[in-house]
Amino acid sequence: MATKVRHTYGSSRQNRKITAPSSPISTLSSSPPPNDSKKRSLDDFFSNKLPSAKRPKIEKTEKQQPQKQKQKTLTQLHFCIDQSIVRTCTLCGLAYTKGADEDEALHKKQCARVQKGMEWGREEEKDAMKAGVQEVASGVKLKDGKKGRIVCIRADVKGKIGSKLSALLETVNFALSASPLSQSVLKVSKAYILLLPTAIPTRERIIGCVVAQSIETAMAIVTSSPDASADTVIMHVDHSTSISCDPIPLPTPLGIPRIFVSSSHRLLGVATALLNAAAATFVHGCVLDPGKVAFSQTTGDGVHLMRKWGCTRMYDEDKTESESR
């Protein structure tokens, strides 16, 4: 009797589907066969990109962030026809454009310097010996009882002292509405600065400055205009102050082109102390009389100081500058 063989397989061989691998399995590798569900395509493999599931999720925030930075803050402007945008400060006298950032920053710095002066600190003292700074007077007593000292600096000095002096002269020129002194004038000039102690022991404040220039001749100031004649000529030096001079040149060794005192330290004798120091030390071994010192074109307050101090001469600053070149 023939024995029947009964197949117990769940599926026939024809229904079984064998999936061949995309690449032959190496017998030398100890790693498990790759998982088909996480298999990377050839495009991702050669482009060296991560699968979409592993990409960082911060790309949207990175793209949105630059859009916020591109937004600019807008400023609303208003036109006012009946008022001028140019303002003149009553404290420092500087005219500036209101609303212009550069003008307002310049006015803020200038106004602070004119009222309170500039600082003289530890850095300037370290460079003082190298720059040739000389102390010409100490214990200078002012009318309010405070005491300071006067130092003398070459006007063409370099370094930190030169930068400080340049900033000071810039403030003085702005306050006096004067043009900057040329390099040829600075070479033959000295700056006298009055320093006043502050609450900080290592810092002092510059409250006044006088620039003393070496000149050769000046003109005598005439108080009244004589009768005009063919031999006599009266020169009007400054029309704003109505000053007239005799054009005959007089030998004069010292001229004062710039003089300045901070507004909070005026009427205390600062200018007089600086002028006395310049007259006593500008020419080595010779104390000059105020009558042999000349002022350049000056303001109304400068004319009052000049007459009070005893100066009776003036010189043309522009002419002297052209001759020194």
Side-chain angles (χ1 to χ4, degrees):
M1 182 176 178
T3 304
K4 294 182 180 181
V5 179
R6 188 176 182 180
H7 296 281
T8 59
Y9 299 102
S11 59
S12 62
R13 183 171 298 184
Q14 296 178 354
N15 295 333
R16 293 172 60 188
K17 187 176 180 180
I18 301 174
T19 303
S22 59
S23 60
I25 301 175
S26 175
T27 57
L28 300 177
S29 175
S30 61
S31 60
N35 193 355
D36 294 339
S37 61
K38 297 183 180 180
K39 183 171 60 178
R40 297 167 57 187
S41 62
L42 293 176
D43 294 336
D44 293 340
F45 180 82
F46 288 105
S47 61
N48 197 17
K49 291 182 179 180
L50 293 173
S52 58
K54 294 185 179 180
R55 290 178 183 176
K57 298 182 180 180
I58 59 174
E59 291 183 358
K60 294 184 179 180
T61 58
E62 290 179 354
K63 293 181 180 179
Q64 294 175 359
Q65 193 170 3
Q67 294 179 359
K68 295 182 180 180
Q69 295 178 356
K70 291 181 180 180
Q71 295 180 358
K72 296 182 180 180
T73 303
L74 302 179
T75 303
Q76 181 67 42
L77 300 179
H78 301 275
F79 291 96
C80 187
I81 303 176
D82 59 341
Q83 292 183 359
S84 175
I85 60 175
V86 179
R87 299 286 189 269
T88 301
C89 181
T90 57
L91 299 176
C92 65
L94 181 66
Y96 65 98
T97 303
K98 187 177 181 180
D101 295 339
E102 294 182 358
D103 279 23
E104 289 190 353
L106 176 62
H107 167 251
K108 184 178 179 181
K109 179 177 66 175
Q110 175 72 10
C111 195
R113 290 179 177 180
V114 170
Q115 292 185 71
K116 301 178 182 179
M118 298 177 61
E119 288 188 352
W120 182 279
R122 185 178 299 174
E123 294 182 357
E124 287 77 15
E125 282 298 322
K126 290 181 179 180
D127 199 42
M129 184 68 67
K130 181 181 178 181
V133 179
Q134 297 179 355
E135 183 178 314
V136 296
S138 60
V140 179
K141 188 175 182 179
L142 305 180
K143 292 182 180 180
D144 60 352
K146 297 180 180 179
K147 294 182 179 181
R149 63 189 182 106
I150 298 177
V151 296
C152 178
I153 309 171
R154 291 184 296 105
D156 61 341
V157 68
K158 306 297 182 181
K160 295 181 181 178
I161 300 294
S163 300
K164 177 69 70 173
L165 183 59
S166 297
L168 176 60
L169 293 180
E170 181 183 0
T171 302
V172 173
N173 292 329
F174 268 117
L176 301 178
S177 299
S179 58
L181 296 174
S182 64
Q183 192 64 28
S184 59
V185 173
L186 295 177
K187 287 182 180 180
V188 294
S189 302
K190 297 179 182 179
Y192 291 84
I193 298 175
L194 199 151
L195 302 175
L196 198 66
T198 62
I200 303 176
T202 58
R203 293 184 181 180
E204 295 173 292
R205 188 165 294 278
I206 302 173
I207 63 173
C209 174
V210 163
V211 179
Q213 177 187 355
S214 176
I215 61 176
E216 295 181 358
T217 59
M219 299 173 292
I221 300 175
V222 293
T223 55
S224 60
S225 301
D227 296 336
S229 61
D231 299 333
T232 305
V233 178
I234 299 301
M235 181 181 296
H236 295 281
V237 178
D238 195 344
H239 295 280
S240 61
T241 54
S242 301
I243 294 180
S244 302
C245 295
D246 189 347
I248 299 176
L250 301 176
T252 307
L254 176 58
I256 306 296
R258 300 287 185 273
I259 183 168
F260 171 77
V261 179
S262 61
S263 59
S264 59
H265 297 90
R266 292 176 182 173
L267 302 178
L268 297 177
V270 176
T272 302
L274 289 170
L275 290 172
N276 292 335
T281 61
F282 186 78
V283 179
H284 182 70
C286 179
V287 179
L288 299 176
D289 186 84
K292 294 184 179 181
V293 179
F295 275 50
S296 66
Q297 293 91 332
T298 182
T299 61
D301 294 337
V303 172
H304 177 72
L305 172 65
M306 177 182 64
R307 292 172 177 172
K308 183 180 179 181
W309 189 56
C311 178
T312 57
R313 298 181 185 182
M314 292 194 71
Y315 72 100
D316 191 350
E317 181 180 325
D318 298 332
K319 183 179 179 181
T320 305
E321 182 176 346
S322 61
E323 291 176 353
S324 60
R325 290 178 180 175

